[in-house]
Amino acid sequence: MFFTHRATAIVLCVQSAFMLAACQSTSTFQRHKTPLATSSSPTPGVQGPAHSARCPQLRLLCFSGSSRKDSFNKKLARLACNLARQRGVSVTFVDLTDFPMPLYNGDYEAKNGLPPEAVKFKSLVKQHDALMIASPEYNALPTPLLLNVLYWASRPGRSTERHGAAFAGKTVLTVAASPGLMGGVRSLMSLRSLLEDLRLIVHPRPFRLARARAAFGENGELLDEKEQRKLEKIIDRFVEFATKRLQKAEC
């Protein structure tokens, strides 16, 4: 029995390593643009991306797939978005529970079009250049809340637009926090497939946080300085990546 459990643990560790490597591999890059948001000023001493009247400020929409008030992923999403704001990005954070939608139903869509809250959320997506999504892990998958919102926002309703038009060409950073040792990597892998199907450009370096129960300080910061620096580095790379794509499209 001991050896059976030990062998199972080794297999899980190997699977985790392969999943993480796949999650961090370079995605297939595509194209496009878009632009509202909360204006923000760079924190003194933090270099933000250059922008002008001709080259607009990067606009980032942030949200978590969790409905729980004290969700680890909401904390991580807020922290990541605050770091992006310090780098000169215009950031909008939304709580998906403020956009209640019925479970996706093709008959409902054919009869009524999109639900009002789906229209509001879809409009927000269109008004931003990039997304930051924190994805909890439910049985190795993204949450039903997150999936349902993405399903509805990807639909044309009664319009003639293409499936996923609101998302196409935008850049997205994915992050995850989990009480376990894998840090939500399986959720990120499944989510990546969906996002790429929606023609989003997924940044090749996600961030995953293990042992999330003990990871956050009173002010929402990461207690582990190594993890904090890692997150900051990923945010730096993502902001640079998304800003360059925006400048290429707009300037």
Side-chain angles (χ1 to χ4, degrees), residues 21-76:
C23 202
Q24 293 180 339
S25 63
T26 304
S27 62
T28 302
F29 294 127
Q30 299 143 6
R31 42 179 163 267
H32 243 60
K33 48 186 178 265
T34 335
L36 161 98
T38 308
S39 60
S40 54
S41 301
T43 298
V46 177
Q47 183 65 42
H51 57 269
S52 64
R54 185 166 176 267
C55 297
Q57 184 181 23
L58 181 69
R59 291 164 176 149
L60 178 66
L61 179 64
C62 303
F63 51 92
S64 163
S66 178
S67 58
R68 196 167 64 88
K69 181 180 178 181
D70 294 322
S71 160
F72 303 131
N73 281 274
K74 282 184 182 178
K75 291 180 179 180
L76 180 57

Side-chain angles (χ1 to χ4, degrees), residues 209-229:
L209 180 67
R211 298 186 177 93
R213 283 195 179 91
F216 295 95
E218 292 183 0
N219 297 318
E221 77 283 5
L222 294 180
L223 297 175
D224 188 323
E225 293 184 4
K226 183 179 179 181
E227 291 292 337
Q228 179 74 20
R229 289 195 300 270

Side-chain angles (χ1 to χ4, degrees), residues 191-206:
L191 179 61
R192 182 189 183 108
S193 297
L194 172 57
L195 298 178
E196 289 181 340
D197 183 67
L198 296 177
R199 291 170 287 146
L200 281 152
I201 294 97
V202 183
H203 191 262
R205 290 295 303 274

Side-chain angles (χ1 to χ4, degrees), residues 69-194:
K69 181 180 178 181
D70 294 322
S71 160
F72 303 131
N73 281 274
K74 282 184 182 178
K75 291 180 179 180
L76 180 57
R78 290 186 184 278
L79 175 58
C81 289
N82 285 337
L83 291 173
R85 184 179 288 113
Q86 292 170 12
R87 284 146 180 81
V89 177
S90 178
V91 174
T92 303
F93 182 91
V94 297
D95 191 321
L96 294 187
T97 59
D98 292 332
F99 299 86
M101 306 175 198
L103 287 176
Y104 177 74
N105 183 303
D107 291 338
Y108 178 104
E109 181 185 11
K111 180 179 180 180
N112 305 296
L114 300 183
E117 296 303 326
V119 173
K120 291 179 184 178
F121 182 80
K122 187 174 179 179
S123 178
L124 268 178
V125 172
K126 289 181 177 180
Q127 294 170 50
H128 290 77
D129 311 299
L131 307 177
M132 201 289 300
I133 304 175
S135 180
E137 185 175 279
Y138 284 12
N139 295 337
L141 294 171
T143 63
L145 171 63
L146 176 58
L147 293 175
N148 193 55
V149 168
L150 294 177
Y151 292 159
W152 274 118
S154 70
R155 298 298 302 157
R158 289 175 171 170
S159 73
T160 58
E161 69 181 19
R162 184 179 173 185
H163 171 76
F167 299 98
K170 298 181 189 294
T171 50
V172 57
L173 175 66
T174 58
V175 302
S178 169
L181 298 178
M182 296 177 68
V185 65
R186 295 174 298 178
S187 168
L188 293 180
M189 287 189 65
S190 298
L191 179 61
R192 182 189 183 108
S193 297
L194 172 57

